[in-house]
Amino acid sequence: MVVSAQSIQHILPQLKLDAAFKTIADKVLNGERISFEEGVLLYEKGELGFVGMLANFIRTKKHGSNTYFNRNFHVEPTNVCVYSCKFCSYSRLLKHKAEGWELSVEEILNNIKKYDGQPVTEVHITGGVIPKQDFTFYTDLFKAIKAHRPDLHIKALTPVEYHYIFKKAKMSYQEGMQAMEAAGLGSMPGGGAEIFDKEIRDEIAGGKCSAEEWLEIHETAHKLGIPSNATMLYGHIENFTHRVDHMERLRQLQDRTHGFNAFIPLKFRNQHNEMKHLPEATIVEDLSNYAIARIYLDNFEHIKSYWAMIGRNTTQLSLNFGVDDVDGTIDDTTKIYSMAGSEEQHPAMSTRELVHLIKAVDKKPIERDTLYNVIQDYTDVVFEEDEKEKARMYN
Ligand code: V47
Ligand code: SF4
C-alpha cells in the first residue's frame, strides 16, 4: 500500500470526512499528537480503513516495511499464584497447588541449558506469584543465568511480581530494582498492566498491584536505565474510554522517561477462565485497536502484535495496521496463552517460518535483539530447507 503523505492528502477529500476526522488526519500527517477525546472518537466512530491508513502512514514513516522479531524463549517458574485474576486461565491458587508446578533455580537453569548452542538472544521469565519465589530466589536465578550464559538478555518479571517481592523483602522499589539489575536483569516485559482504570482493574484483577504502583515500578526501572514494554488487556468489560485512559497514562510516563520499547495490545481470550461468558473481540476490532494504539502512542517506537496469542493470519494483517514487531520464535513451553484459548495451542515458530510469514505480506523481516539493535536483515536470506523444497518441486 502506498502511504506517502501526498497520497493520503489526495485520498482524504474523496473520503468526505467530518471536520473532527479531518483534524485528526491533519495532525497525524503533520506528526502532531491527538487528544484524549480524539482517541475516544476514533474508537467510537473511526472506520477501519481510515484508522488503518493513518496507522500505516505512521508505521511506514518510522520503520518503512521493516518488521522486527527476536529469537527468544519463555520460562515460567510457577503457575501457582496468590492472586486470582478473573481472566487468567493459567494460574492455580495456592490452595489448588496439586495442579501446579514450582520450579527451583536449578530446574530453571537446566531448562535454560537446553538452549545452549542455539542462537537465542533473550529469555522471557514470568509466571505466577508465590511466597517461596522471593527476592533471593530471583536474584540467585538471574546471577546463575548470567554466570552460565552472560550474553543472554534477561527480560523478567512484571510489577505484579516486583511489588510483591519488594514488599515482602521490606525494600523500596528503587533498592529492589537496583539489586535486580545488579543480579543480571536486562529489561522488564509489559505484563500485569491489564487495564489501569481502578473500577475495572478491581473487578478483574483485584488484589494485585495498582495502576499507580505498576507505573511507578516502570518509572523507577526506566530511571535506572532498565527499559521495558507495556501491555493492555482489551476486549473484556472495559469501554473505549478506559482504553484511551490506559494509553494516556503510558504516553505521559513515556514523555517523562522514554524507557518503553514497545506497546503490546493483548486481546482477551475467553477459554478456561472466570470470564468465559464474555464474547471475544472481532478481528476488525483487533486491527482497529492496533491502529488506534499506533496513532495515539506517538512517543512509542514499536507496536507489537503477539503472534502466539492472536494467530498467524491476524498477525499478518496487523502489519498493515500500525504493527512493526511480531515478538519472537518462542517454543512450545509457553502455557499461559494456549490455556486461555489462543489460536496456537502449542505456539512455536522457527526463524524460517517467521521470516516466511513476514515476507508473505511484503514486509522486511529483521531479527533484532531485545533493545532493537539489528542482528540480521532476512530479506535476501534463503534457507537450506527452501532450497531443498525448490529442488523437490523441479525434480
Ligand atoms: O499480564 C493473561 C495476559 C499477560 C489472558 O513484554 C491474557 O514482550 C488474554 O505481558 N487472555 C502476560 N491475555 C503476557 C505479557 C507479554 C506477552 C508477550 C510479550 C511481552 C513482552 C509481554 O498476559 C498478562 C495478562 O494481561 N493474559 N490471561 C487471557 N485470558
Ligand atoms: Fe496470577 Fe498473573 Fe494469573 Fe493474575 S494473571 S492470577 S497475577 S498469574
Side-chain angles (χ1 to χ4, degrees):
M1 197 195 289
V2 184
V3 281
S4 65
Q6 288 96 321
S7 62
I8 297 185
Q9 290 289 18
H10 182 71
I11 293 167
L12 284 177
Q14 297 167 40
L15 296 179
K16 300 198 173 55
L17 295 170
D18 286 353
F21 287 113
K22 172 84 177 54
T23 306
I24 293 174
D26 286 341
K27 282 189 174 178
V28 170
L29 296 182
N30 294 326
E32 289 166 30
R33 178 167 281 190
I34 68 163
S35 68
F36 190 102
E37 293 70 27
E38 288 167 334
V40 176
L41 180 70
L42 286 181
Y43 271 117
E44 284 175 348
K45 300 205 174 125
E47 284 181 15
L48 182 62
F50 176 69
V51 292
M53 179 176 69
L54 296 183
N56 201 21
F57 169 77
I58 301 167
R59 185 244 201 255
T60 310
K61 194 166 139 195
K62 280 186 183 289
H63 306 290
S65 57
N66 284 3
T67 300
Y68 301 95
F69 69 93
N70 71 347
R71 296 208 229 191
N72 66 358
F73 63 101
H74 289 226
V75 168
E76 289 157 11
T78 180
N79 69 341
V80 181
C81 194
V82 296
Y83 302 116
S84 44
C85 305
K86 287 188 182 159
F87 55 82
C88 182
S89 323
Y90 159 83
S91 77
R92 297 289 167 265
L93 283 175
L94 275 177
K95 58 182 186 255
H96 297 128
K97 251 167 99 171
E99 297 163 22
W101 71 83
E102 288 177 23
L103 303 181
S104 64
V105 168
E106 202 188 349
E107 285 168 321
I108 296 174
L109 199 60
N110 285 337
N111 287 342
I112 287 173
K113 285 181 181 168
K114 291 181 191 154
Y115 295 87
D116 283 359
Q118 292 190 34
V120 288
T121 57
E122 170 191 289
V123 55
H124 177 146
I125 306 174
T126 188
V129 180
I130 52 173
K132 210 198 277 177
Q133 293 178 348
D134 60 3
F135 177 79
T136 313
F137 175 90
Y138 278 112
T139 46
D140 285 353
L141 176 64
F142 297 166
K143 284 181 202 161
I145 296 172
K146 282 292 182 189
H148 177 69
R149 194 166 170 173
D151 58 313
L152 192 63
H153 180 103
I154 302 176
K155 182 175 82 180
L157 312 188
T158 72
V160 178
E161 287 112 328
Y162 287 125
H163 171 74
Y164 180 90
I165 289 169
F166 299 155
K167 200 168 164 205
K168 193 159 169 275
K170 298 191 170 46
M171 285 178 141
S172 68
Y173 293 159
Q174 166 90 11
E175 289 165 332
M177 289 313 297
Q178 244 163 349
M180 291 291 164
E181 189 180 27
L185 178 74
S187 66
M188 254 200 292
E194 322 314 357
I195 274 284
F196 292 146
D197 177 83
K198 184 167 169 25
E199 205 180 318
I200 304 293
R201 193 174 183 83
D202 284 351
E203 175 64 27
I204 66 169
K208 71 185 193 187
C209 75
S210 67
E212 290 70 25
E213 287 159 347
W214 191 98
L215 290 160
E216 194 184 334
I217 291 179
H218 278 264
E219 183 154 9
T220 307
H222 294 173
K223 286 181 176 157
L224 289 168
I226 303 168
S228 67
N229 292 332
T231 58
M232 172 174 77
L233 183 70
Y234 72 92
H236 43 89
I237 58 167
E238 89 291 3
N239 63 30
F240 294 145
T241 305
H242 297 135
R243 290 192 206 176
V244 179
D245 167 65
H246 190 93
M247 292 194 288
E248 175 58 28
R249 297 196 209 194
L250 292 173
R251 194 165 78 170
Q252 286 182 14
L253 174 51
Q254 181 75 329
D255 274 344
R256 292 200 294 278
T257 64
H258 300 284
F260 287 117
N261 282 330
F263 178 65
I264 313 159
L266 294 172
K267 172 197 181 95
F268 164 67
R269 307 308 305 249
N270 67 5
Q271 284 182 36
H272 311 298
N273 55 48
E274 277 186 62
M275 288 157 70
K276 55 179 175 285
H277 56 284
L278 295 177
E280 290 184 353
T282 62
I283 291 179
V284 169
E285 195 177 341
D286 296 334
L287 296 176
S288 174
N289 191 63
Y290 283 122
I292 296 169
R294 180 60 287 170
I295 296 167
Y296 200 81
L297 294 172
D298 61 336
N299 54 3
F300 275 63
E301 261 319 278
H302 302 282
I303 304 291
K304 191 197 276 197
S305 62
Y306 187 41
W307 68 262
M309 195 63 175
I310 57 162
R312 296 170 200 226
N313 294 343
T314 311
T315 300
Q316 286 178 315
L317 288 170
S318 73
L319 298 180
N320 281 318
F321 287 84
V323 168
D324 63 276
D325 189 303
V326 295
D327 203 65
T329 54
I330 61 166
D331 74 335
D332 66 356
T333 54
T334 302
K335 309 225 173 28
I336 193 163
Y337 307 106
S338 43
M339 284 176 171
S342 63
E343 310 300 320
E344 306 278 340
Q345 286 308 300
H346 299 287
M349 226 193 298
S350 65
T351 305
R352 176 176 170 251
E353 285 175 296
L354 207 48
V355 164
H356 280 209
L357 177 139
I358 295 167
K359 278 189 179 172
V361 286
D362 284 334
K363 301 287 182 221
K364 254 165 130 33
I366 309 283
E367 184 188 348
R368 59 160 177 91
D369 66 13
T370 309
L371 307 176
Y372 290 84
N373 298 304
V374 173
I375 295 182
Q376 189 173 356
D377 179 342
Y378 277 80
T379 310
D380 299 318
V381 171
V382 179
F383 292 86
E384 211 180 296
E385 294 95 317
D386 296 336
E387 290 291 353
K388 282 187 194 154
E389 222 163 76
K390 223 195 263 169
R392 265 199 308 276
M393 277 167 67
Y394 291 107
N395 280 333

